[in-house]
Amino acid sequence: MKRIITFLLLILVIPAFSQGVDLDPHSFNVSYVNLPPKPVLDRKNRNFSITVNLYNATEAKSAKEYLEENSGIDGFSRVASNGYLEIVFNLENSISNLQEVRKQVVFERNANGIEVPVTIYTNVFKCKDFGSYNVVCASEPSLNKKYSLERTYTKELSFRNQGESNSSSFLSSAVLRSSYLSNIVYNMESRLNRDYGYIVEQTSDYLWILDSKKHPEYESNVKALTSIKAIFNKMEYNQDVAPLKAELEPTIKYFEGLDKIYTEDERKHRKLRYEAYFNLAVIYHYLDMPDESDIWCAKLLANKYDASDAEGIKIKNESLREMFAVNQVKSRHMDVELRSNGIKNEDSDVINLDPNYFLKNDPKYQLISLILTTNDTVSGYSRINALGNLDRKVSVSIPDENGNHNHIFKTYFADQVTRLTIQENDFYSTVSFKEALRAGSKPVFRFVREILNGKTISLYGYQNNEIIIKKKEDAFGASTSSVGWQMNTKSKFAELARPCPKLAARTNGTEFQNDLNAFMKFVEALDACK
């Protein structure tokens, strides 16, 4: 009888252990402060000022105003002078040379609806910037650093007739200066924030969760995922994570126990252990416990199933320990001066303002409207020159007690806004995507101009020279100026066209290039596919 019972138990148990083990990635949200390698340890000293050296005093003043208005260091406030960090710019003129003139014939419909050929002339200029800037800290010379502003780039201007093209054989100093200052802002945003900034990250990562519904661990996996997402949603960049760890204990215990059940060396057991070890390593990393995370990385390595993941997490843990040591802290969760998240009031110097001055009468300002992620609507005035270079934030006037818009502003950041309207037909959305030219960057919400909203794909323009493409169901967009899109244009189009075999076949030819016209044509063809 015992043999029969044992045999029946084996019949019941073996199918359970032989179920398929499919793992799917699932995202969860995290919030923390990215610690700098060159920290200003005392928070009261986290301020900076800007000095601009340029042979033309008027241009120096204008450049200083532009940089003060459009740039900053996360975690720092800007002061008018004598900042703890002084950013000293030594600016020079840029140069440009006409390299080539490209001709392209496109077909456009005239007033009678007939397609006619139009020749577009594109002047391609090779440009070069010069100059540098220094971070100077009199109190802590170890924080001093010099950065170069030299770069070579191309700029294109398109014309609809040859005469205009011929008469534009050089770029104006105004165009070059605008490009120069825009690059300085980008340079500061990336370099100074990387070295000194306390950047509040509102981002996401992923865990591996069982997707085999018939497996005995499926329900427990789903329960664990639900718990993790809910608890990490409570994470705040400036709040202690200890309460979150306490809430996660049951889930941690569950994953810790899986390798006691699935002990065999065969692939399915190793795959389940991989899930448990990976998830525990990731969870402990975001709880600011890199040593505990490494324990599970070691198990992940020994398990010999996708061991490379362990190496990646170990590198992140080592970097975290180094940042803890340099910043003399034990956690990435702290209170910092907000710039890249949250709302910050910005009161202008009003000493010399005329009491009858109102923004609606100032031609330098434009009335705009924001729809916030809270579904609230905000209307106010913003500087026109700032609207021409929208990136991660926008400052909007708020009315005083009398309902007048004059000198009181709030800064809204892209992750707080769903839509921005500048004029009747000029709409911006906010999309999270990686910077095309910055390797290893994380997706960040930015303001992007709406170009085309298809049924499944939307196109956006970022700062007038970069196309962002985003599938409706995706959390992130992609820059078509990225290396991936530049090097694999056909395969990227083919992947997007997968739901439409006829369109996918067309991507093998030269019809779809990496330019706006091709992207619009592609989206419209995908929408029309049956």
Side-chain angles (χ1 to χ4, degrees):
M1 178 62 73
K2 288 182 179 179
R3 290 181 179 177
I4 294 173
I5 292 173
T6 301
F7 177 72
L8 290 173
L9 286 173
L10 284 171
I11 292 175
L12 292 172
V13 172
I14 289 172
F17 282 98
S18 63
Q19 293 292 341
V21 179
D22 294 324
L23 301 179
D24 274 356
H26 288 267
S27 65
F28 65 99
N29 297 322
V30 290
S31 179
Y32 56 88
V33 177
N34 237 341
L35 301 173
K38 297 177 76 67
V40 174
L41 297 177
D42 192 338
R43 185 180 175 185
K44 73 174 186 294
N45 291 331
R46 291 176 194 160
N47 59 73
F48 72 97
S49 56
I50 290 176
T51 299
V52 175
N53 296 321
L54 189 61
Y55 70 94
N56 185 307
T58 302
E59 287 190 8
K61 182 176 182 294
S62 176
K64 185 174 187 292
E65 290 176 352
Y66 180 90
L67 295 174
E68 286 179 341
E69 183 173 333
N70 292 284
S71 63
I73 307 173
D74 289 73
F76 286 68
S77 59
R78 182 179 56 77
V79 294
S81 60
N82 300 318
Y84 193 75
L85 299 182
E86 185 180 8
I87 319 300
V88 182
F89 289 90
N90 299 300
L91 304 186
E92 301 179 28
N93 282 336
S94 302
I95 59 174
S96 70
N97 292 299
L98 181 62
Q99 291 290 103
E100 64 171 318
V101 178
R102 293 201 302 259
K103 295 181 183 179
Q104 180 184 13
V105 177
V106 298
F107 288 86
E108 298 179 355
R109 293 186 183 277
N110 61 19
N112 299 319
I114 300 172
E115 283 196 343
V116 295
V118 176
T119 301
I120 303 297
Y121 299 86
T122 301
N123 292 9
V124 182
F125 298 89
K126 185 176 182 180
C127 311
K128 187 167 185 177
D129 290 342
F130 302 90
S132 63
Y133 63 100
N134 291 28
V135 175
V136 180
C137 182
S139 301
E140 292 185 69
S142 62
L143 295 177
N144 294 355
K145 191 169 182 179
K146 183 176 181 178
Y147 301 85
S148 173
L149 288 171
E150 289 195 13
R151 65 161 182 158
T152 300
Y153 63 100
T154 59
K155 197 167 186 66
E156 299 180 359
L157 294 180
S158 295
F159 306 92
R160 297 176 70 86
N161 68 69
Q162 191 171 9
E164 289 181 354
S165 173
N166 292 340
S167 63
S168 300
S169 57
F170 62 91
L171 287 175
S172 69
S173 58
V175 169
L176 286 171
R177 179 62 64 188
S178 176
S179 177
Y180 190 27
L181 293 176
S182 296
N183 180 59
I184 294 174
V185 170
Y186 171 81
N187 205 298
M188 285 184 66
E189 290 283 322
S190 57
R191 291 181 172 183
L192 296 190
N193 274 316
R194 178 191 61 204
D195 289 342
Y196 304 91
Y198 293 79
I199 304 171
V200 174
E201 293 281 4
Q202 308 276 15
T203 186
S204 63
D205 209 328
Y206 69 94
L207 301 169
W208 288 108
I209 297 296
L210 191 65
D211 190 38
S212 305
K213 293 184 178 180
K214 293 183 179 180
H215 197 283
E217 298 298 335
Y218 177 74
E219 294 298 331
S220 297
N221 262 235
V222 172
K223 182 180 178 181
L225 175 63
T226 302
S227 175
I228 291 167
K229 290 172 78 76
I231 294 168
F232 273 103
N233 273 340
K234 301 177 185 178
M235 180 177 277
E236 298 287 347
Y237 72 92
N238 57 356
Q239 300 293 323
D240 186 7
V241 295
L244 304 184
K245 182 182 183 300
E247 284 191 67
L248 283 165
E249 279 300 329
T251 301
I252 290 172
K253 294 285 186 191
Y254 166 68
F255 284 125
E256 287 179 343
L258 283 179
D259 67 355
K260 297 176 179 64
I261 301 172
Y262 301 93
T263 59
E264 297 180 16
D265 193 42
E266 61 97 15
R267 179 180 173 83
K268 291 177 182 178
H269 282 229
R270 284 192 292 119
K271 201 169 181 180
L272 277 166
R273 292 199 297 273
Y274 161 81
E275 174 208 33
Y277 299 154
F278 178 91
N279 291 350
L280 287 166
V282 170
I283 288 170
Y284 278 119
H285 176 80
Y286 286 110
L287 290 176
D288 291 339
M289 302 171 72
D291 293 342
E292 286 77 3
S293 177
D294 272 353
I295 292 171
W296 298 100
C297 286
K299 290 180 177 287
L300 200 55
L301 281 167
N303 189 51
K304 296 179 180 178
Y305 183 92
D306 276 5
S308 60
D309 286 336
E311 296 292 354
I313 301 172
K314 280 172 67 68
I315 291 172
K316 289 165 62 177
N317 288 336
E318 183 58 34
S319 175
L320 186 56
R321 276 189 290 267
E322 290 176 3
M323 290 300 102
F324 283 169
V326 170
N327 285 268
Q328 300 178 22
V329 296
K330 295 182 179 179
S331 173
R332 288 174 287 184
H333 293 80
M334 62 186 68
D335 197 22
V336 295
E337 181 83 13
L338 284 175
R339 194 182 72 90
S340 59
N341 295 83
I343 301 174
K344 175 184 171 186
N345 291 333
E346 296 185 343
D347 293 339
S348 301
D349 178 9
V350 299
I351 295 175
N352 298 316
L353 285 181
D354 185 329
N356 296 315
Y357 166 84
F358 301 114
L359 293 175
K360 67 179 180 181
N361 301 323
D362 191 329
K364 296 192 297 293
Y365 287 84
Q366 168 77 45
L367 182 64
I368 67 172
S369 177
L370 305 177
I371 299 177
L372 307 182
T373 54
T374 58
N375 290 324
D376 296 317
T377 299
V378 174
S379 294
Y381 290 87
S382 185
R383 287 185 70 94
I384 290 175
N385 64 354
L387 295 175
N389 195 35
L390 276 175
D391 188 13
R392 295 170 62 182
K393 63 179 181 178
V394 63
S395 292
V396 181
S397 66
I398 58 174
D400 60 18
E401 64 275 9
N402 298 315
N404 296 316
H405 289 264
N406 40 40
H407 55 263
I408 304 172
F409 290 83
K410 277 187 177 180
T411 297
Y412 292 90
F413 294 87
D415 58 359
Q416 297 174 290
V417 180
T418 57
R419 204 177 200 210
L420 181 155
T421 303
I422 295 179
Q423 294 176 340
E424 185 177 353
N425 296 310
D426 196 3
F427 302 109
Y428 284 76
S429 290
T430 55
V431 174
S432 182
F433 63 94
K434 292 183 180 181
E435 296 178 51
L437 301 178
R438 188 178 171 191
S441 66
K442 295 183 178 180
V444 174
F445 275 99
R446 301 177 186 278
F447 288 102
V448 288
R449 178 181 271 113
E450 296 178 10
I451 296 176
L452 177 62
N453 285 311
K455 295 176 183 177
T456 60
I457 294 175
S458 293
L459 298 176
Y460 304 94
Y462 173 56
Q463 294 191 341
N464 299 320
N465 59 8
E466 196 168 335
I467 303 167
I468 308 302
I469 188 165
K470 181 179 178 295
K471 295 171 68 174
K472 299 285 188 182
E473 70 269 20
D474 287 350
F476 305 122
S479 169
T480 60
S481 297
S482 65
V483 174
W485 261 100
Q486 294 287 342
M487 299 295 290
N488 305 288
T489 303
K490 287 186 179 181
S491 61
K492 290 286 189 182
F493 272 120
E495 182 181 343
L496 292 174
R498 192 177 301 169
C500 181
K502 289 183 179 179
L503 182 58
R506 290 164 58 185
T507 64
N508 290 323
T510 60
E511 182 179 3
F512 298 113
Q513 302 296 317
N514 196 328
D515 60 68
L516 181 57
N517 288 334
F519 281 110
M520 294 178 68
K521 183 178 180 181
F522 177 87
V523 172
E524 290 167 351
L526 186 60
D527 284 352
C529 185
K530 296 181 180 179

